[in-house]
Amino acid sequence: MFNHLKKAAVLAGAVTAFTFPTGLTPAMAAGSPAVSACEKNWYVNGSEGYANGCFQNNYTYVSGTVYDTAADGRCPFVRAVFWDGNVRDSRWATGKGTHATVSISSPTGSHVRRVEWHYIKC
């Protein structure tokens, strides 16, 4: 929880994003369903590193890994932006050669609109 709050306070701008077509409106499954197989791959990057993974559960869950490949004092992470306007962040990689898991669930009743590349100064 603390890491999430710290990230929100020191965010930098997005470098790149993956966006779904505006007509895509998958329904949210009730409860907490098991994670399904990969429905579509995603990839984002910036000068700090790169991240890749899958959209799952009818685009209500984002999984993957974010990699830090530069010794630049910036720690990259992935932000999922949802159709209802909410955003949720992954953990961030903490220096050159490190990586962090991406595991983001959508808010109830929404689904992923896009995945963005972000970083913090660390």
Side-chain angles (χ1 to χ4, degrees):
M1 180 67 173
F2 175 75
N3 286 346
H4 181 73
L5 296 174
K6 182 178 177 186
K7 283 190 291 188
V10 292
L11 293 178
V15 175
T16 187
F18 178 85
T19 305
F20 288 107
T22 55
L24 185 64
T25 58
M28 172 69 177
S32 297
V35 175
S36 66
C38 185
E39 295 166 341
K40 183 164 181 78
N41 293 318
W42 57 267
Y43 175 85
V44 292
N45 67 343
S47 62
E48 305 78 23
Y50 66 97
N52 56 25
C54 289
F55 296 103
Q56 296 167 276
N57 288 10
N58 209 18
Y59 298 93
T60 62
Y61 182 74
V62 178
S63 66
T65 307
V66 59
Y67 300 90
D68 190 335
T69 61
D72 57 7
R74 295 183 281 188
C75 294
F77 66 94
V78 170
R79 172 173 287 168
V81 179
F82 302 96
W83 282 101
D84 65 3
N86 283 305
V87 297
R88 292 189 177 164
D89 298 336
S90 72
R91 296 179 180 270
W92 62 84
T94 57
K96 183 177 181 178
T98 65
H99 65 278
T101 301
V102 175
S103 178
I104 305 171
S105 295
S106 68
T108 301
S110 192
H111 59 276
V112 181
R113 181 175 185 186
R114 67 181 179 269
V115 171
E116 298 177 343
W117 179 259
H118 286 266
Y119 65 87
I120 64 162
K121 293 190 181 220
C122 57

